[in-house]
Amino acid sequence: GDLFEGLYHSQQQNLKARDRLSRMINRVRSSANALRDGVVMTNAIGQLDWWNDAATRLFGFDEKKDQAQLITNLFRDPEFIAYFEQKQYDDPLEINSPTDPNLILRIHITLFGEDERLMLAQDITRLHHLEQMRKDFVSNVSHEMRTPLTVIRGYVETMLDSPDAPSRWQRALRSMEGQTQRLEAIISDLMLLEKYESKDGSDMEGEVDMSALIQSVCKDAELYSGDRKHSIRIELDSLSTVWGIESQLR
C-alpha cells in the first residue's frame, strides 16, 4: 500500500509539472504570435520546428504541410540560402519577401543549442523607402545647388579682379567669396556621402602606401601653387601602410 501510494503521489506531481510546463510553453507561443516580427525556429539541419503567425504572413509557411520541412526548400532565394548556411550572422540580411516582392525584410539569425537557429524577420519596407527618399533628396540638393553657386562665385571673382570695383566693396566681396567656398565644400561632402551610400566600396579597399600617396599629393600641390611657388616640406616618421580606398584618402 505504501509503495502504490508513493507511486500515485509521484504520478500526480509529474502531471502537475507537465501541466505547468505546458501552460508556460503556450504562454510563450502566444506572446511570440503577438509579435509583428516573424520568428522561426529550425533544428540543426534546417528543418522547421516552429514559427509564429507573422512568419506565416512574411514567408508563406503552411502549418499543415511545412512542419519539419527544410527552410531552404521553402525559401529558395540563393542569397538567403547562402546566408542561412554560412553560420556567420554578424550582419543581417535584407531581402524581398517570398510572398510579396514589394515587402523588404531584414533577417537576423542566432545560433543556439547544437547548431539550431532562431530567425527574426522584420518588415523594413517603410524604413527602406524613407531612407531612399533621404538619399534622393541629398543627391538632388547637392547637384542642384552646385550650378548656381558656381555662377555666384564666378561673378564675385570677376568683381574682385575688376579694377573698377569700389574699394568699399572689397570686404563684402571677400566675405561672399569665402561663404561660397564654404557652401561648395559642404556640397562636396554631401556628394561624397552620396557616393559612399550608393555602393559598398569594399571591393576598392586595399593597402595604401601612405608615403607615396603623400609625396604625390605634395607634387600636385606644388603644381597647383603655380607662380606663387609655395615651399612644401614632407617629414615622414614611418612608411606605414593604411587599409582603405586610395582615391578617397587622396
Side-chain angles (χ1 to χ4, degrees), residues 146-175:
R146 197 159 201 172
T147 300
L149 273 176
T150 302
V151 174
I152 293 172
R153 185 178 180 184
Y155 277 117
V156 170
E157 290 177 349
T158 301
M159 295 174 69
L160 282 171
D161 295 337
S162 174
D164 299 330
S167 58
R168 65 179 182 275
W169 291 4
Q170 293 296 317
R171 183 176 179 181
L173 291 171
R174 293 291 180 191
S175 178

Side-chain angles (χ1 to χ4, degrees), residues 127-142 190 193-194 196-198:
L127 180 63
H128 185 272
H129 289 162
L130 289 174
E131 182 67 15
Q132 189 60 46
M133 289 174 61
R134 184 190 66 81
K135 291 179 180 179
D136 293 341
F137 175 77
V138 170
S139 176
N140 292 334
V141 167
S142 59
L190 286 173
L193 176 63
E194 177 202 353
Y196 270 118
E197 290 183 336
S198 63

Side-chain angles (χ1 to χ4, degrees), residues 93-232:
L93 172 68
E94 293 186 5
I95 198 167
N96 296 95
S97 168
T99 60
D100 185 353
N102 294 320
L103 291 181
I104 301 173
L105 306 180
R106 177 177 291 163
I107 296 176
H108 300 260
I109 297 180
T110 302
L111 286 172
F112 71 98
E114 297 181 0
D115 284 341
E116 296 170 293
R117 295 172 179 85
L118 176 65
M119 187 170 77
L120 178 67
Q122 299 171 298
D123 182 358
I124 60 166
T125 306
R126 184 171 180 273
L127 180 63
H128 185 272
H129 289 162
L130 289 174
E131 182 67 15
Q132 189 60 46
M133 289 174 61
R134 184 190 66 81
K135 291 179 180 179
D136 293 341
F137 175 77
V138 170
S139 176
N140 292 334
V141 167
S142 59
H143 284 85
E144 292 297 329
M145 289 182 64
R146 197 159 201 172
T147 300
L149 273 176
T150 302
V151 174
I152 293 172
R153 185 178 180 184
Y155 277 117
V156 170
E157 290 177 349
T158 301
M159 295 174 69
L160 282 171
D161 295 337
S162 174
D164 299 330
S167 58
R168 65 179 182 275
W169 291 4
Q170 293 296 317
R171 183 176 179 181
L173 291 171
R174 293 291 180 191
S175 178
M176 291 170 63
E177 183 185 34
Q179 293 304 317
T180 53
Q181 290 175 352
R182 182 181 177 187
L183 284 172
E184 286 179 341
I186 293 173
I187 291 172
S188 296
D189 290 341
L190 286 173
M191 295 184 73
L192 180 62
L193 176 63
E194 177 202 353
K195 184 176 180 180
Y196 270 118
E197 290 183 336
S198 63
K199 55 185 177 180
D200 181 15
S202 58
D203 56 335
M204 298 185 294
E205 291 183 356
E207 290 189 354
V208 180
D209 185 348
M210 292 305 297
S211 174
L213 177 62
I214 291 172
Q215 291 175 1
S216 174
V217 169
C218 287
K219 288 181 180 178
D220 293 342
E222 289 174 348
L223 292 173
Y224 181 74
S225 176
D227 297 335
R228 289 171 288 183
K229 297 181 180 179
H230 289 106
S231 176
I232 302 174

